[in-house]
Amino acid sequence: MPEERSIATVGAGLVGSGWALVFARAGYAVRAYDPSEEVREGILSWASDSLKDLAEIGLVEDPDAILARISVHDTLSKAVEGVFYVQESVFETVEAKSAVSHELDAVIGDDVVVGSSSSGIPASQFTEGCKNRARFSIVHPVNPPHLVPVVEIVPAPWTEQVVLEQIAALMQEVGQVPVRLTREIDGFVLNRLQGVLLNEAWALYQDGIASLADIDATVAHGLGLRWSFMGPFETIDLNAPGGIEDYAARLRGLYAGMVRTPPPGPWPDDVIARAAEERRAELPLEDLAGRRAWRDARLSRLASFKKNQGLMG
Ligand SMILES: NC(=O)c1ccc[n+]([C@@H]2O[C@H](COP(=O)([O-])OP(=O)(O)OC[C@H]3O[C@@H](n4cnc5c(N)ncnc54)[C@H](O)[C@@H]3O)[C@@H](O)[C@H]2O)c1
């Protein structure tokens, strides 16, 4: 048996702990690090519970063996010992990303690649001064990464092509679905798309066109059903007898008429407060974690369905 190859996960919050499962279930030894003792202590029990659920619906076999591949470390330098890849998932600020990237830069070996889970801060904003900067890239997942497979690979101007190929191959191998951006753009693709929808949802709510619950229902019981297995381009290609060109001929005028001028600004405080009041009446703050677990259980069953249908990317 060849020795298991190792991957470090740096930061073990919501996203980092999901990454540990992604790599461990694919057969890698995972070396997890988080500066918070409380977080470190919670990793393995969370992973154990999640693996039990995944095993129950047939998404993993042998949860004990997967769990045994995850080790938890209390320093960054110990966590990166002998690894060929690091997935960084620390707080989303330039300061935190920059500090941890420079720390990593000082301790990683010559051919180690570092992927950052950054949701929107491009790598050029925090890796410029790193001597190994050619081996740093954004590898942006969706939360939770062990249940939602897409990852955006977003190079800094100095990230080497060969590194991007290695990351894409690794992501594919561990069961994720890599999406490659050609260059940096704020928010990348995923959050730019989500941003358009969210900005419009807030504006419709603010204008009183529909209730928060009805706007959510429009996505949950409408748009979202197709989007769980096909994107907007394929959706419209199927929604006109002559395909995408026919759809554009029939409906581009409608969409052009919907462009908001001026564009929406930041979501207003009073509208946020009203939405929060409605959401908290529906779901008290203390029930958020329970609802998150409910969401993950639904997502894992959807993943199982998609797998059985051959729809996993
Ligand atoms: N939550 C999401 O929906 C989501 C989705 C995709 C990507 N992301 C990105 O993933 C990253 C992590 O987000 P999260 O939601 O897991 O946040 P989180 O607050 O749950 O976890 C962040 C963790 O980083 C740890 N940390 C802080 N400084 C550190 C350091 N120097 N070294 C190691 N660990 C450190 C913290 O102790 C904490 O446990 C962010 O860049 C975020 O934008 C989040």
Side-chain angles (χ1 to χ4, degrees):
M1 273 282 279
E3 208 178 306
E4 273 170 0
R5 297 181 77 207
S6 304
I7 289 177
T9 52
V10 170
L14 290 176
V15 163
S17 50
W19 271 122
L21 281 190
V22 167
F23 297 125
R25 86 181 158 195
Y28 287 104
V30 173
R31 303 174 65 83
Y33 163 66
D34 197 289
S36 155
E37 194 177 342
E38 194 187 337
V39 170
R40 286 199 304 274
E41 282 175 356
I43 299 173
L44 293 178
S45 60
W46 174 84
S48 170
D49 290 347
S50 305
L51 284 165
K52 265 187 217 133
D53 188 58
L54 295 179
E56 203 178 293
I57 53 170
L59 279 180
V60 300
E61 286 167 19
D62 205 348
D64 293 341
I66 297 173
L67 191 66
R69 285 190 206 111
I70 304 175
S71 59
V72 181
H73 302 269
D74 58 5
T75 67
L76 182 79
S77 54
K78 266 191 252 166
V80 300
E81 262 173 33
V83 305
F84 71 96
Y85 180 72
V86 179
Q87 182 73 41
E88 169 271 299
S89 311
V90 309
F91 299 134
E92 182 81 6
T93 63
V94 173
E95 295 70 37
K97 298 282 186 206
S98 180
V100 81
S101 298
H102 284 81
E103 241 185 290
L104 281 166
D105 190 44
V107 292
I108 54 173
D110 273 350
D111 44 13
V112 175
V113 167
V114 182
S116 170
S117 297
S118 167
S119 293
I121 307 174
S124 60
Q125 287 189 24
F126 55 88
T127 62
E128 185 169 11
C130 295
K131 64 178 187 300
N132 296 298
R133 65 184 195 173
R135 283 182 275 115
F136 282 72
S137 174
I138 301 297
V139 181
H140 170 231
V142 179
N143 188 44
H146 64 292
L147 297 175
V148 186
V150 88
V151 278
E152 295 184 281
I153 302 175
V154 191
W158 41 79
T159 312
E160 271 176 10
Q161 196 56 35
V162 63
V163 166
L164 299 171
E165 303 300 338
Q166 285 168 3
I167 294 171
L170 173 66
M171 289 301 135
Q172 202 126 34
E173 188 208 329
V174 299
Q176 304 301 100
V177 176
V179 166
R180 305 269 299 258
L181 273 64
T182 55
R183 58 177 184 274
E184 295 183 334
I185 181 168
D186 284 342
F188 316 140
V189 169
L190 188 140
N191 278 325
R192 291 184 80 85
L193 291 175
Q194 178 161 243
V196 172
L197 190 87
L198 274 174
N199 283 332
E200 187 61 31
W202 279 105
L204 291 169
Y205 174 66
Q206 179 176 7
D207 293 348
I209 302 292
S211 69
L212 195 137
D214 279 349
I215 294 169
D216 267 0
T218 305
V219 176
H221 306 295
L223 292 170
L225 290 181
R226 291 181 305 226
W227 285 349
S228 70
F229 61 96
M230 65 171 62
F233 288 123
E234 187 171 2
T235 297
I236 65 170
D237 198 30
L238 303 184
N239 273 357
I244 191 167
E245 266 186 310
D246 188 16
Y247 188 95
R250 292 169 187 233
L251 289 172
R252 72 174 165 186
L254 173 76
Y255 288 103
M258 292 176 201
V259 175
R260 286 187 185 262
T261 47
W267 310 331
D269 288 342
D270 60 323
V271 183
I272 296 175
R274 197 152 49 84
E277 202 178 312
E278 281 186 50
R279 281 302 303 157
R280 295 291 68 85
E282 188 64 33
L283 183 73
L285 213 50
E286 59 274 21
D287 294 345
L288 269 180
R291 184 74 173 169
R292 227 172 257 138
W294 172 88
R295 175 202 64 192
D296 288 358
R298 305 283 76 69
L299 272 174
S300 59
R301 278 144 189 85
L302 182 59
S304 165
F305 173 77
K306 287 185 67 170
K307 191 176 165 202
N308 293 334
Q309 297 282 318
L311 293 169
M312 282 307 267

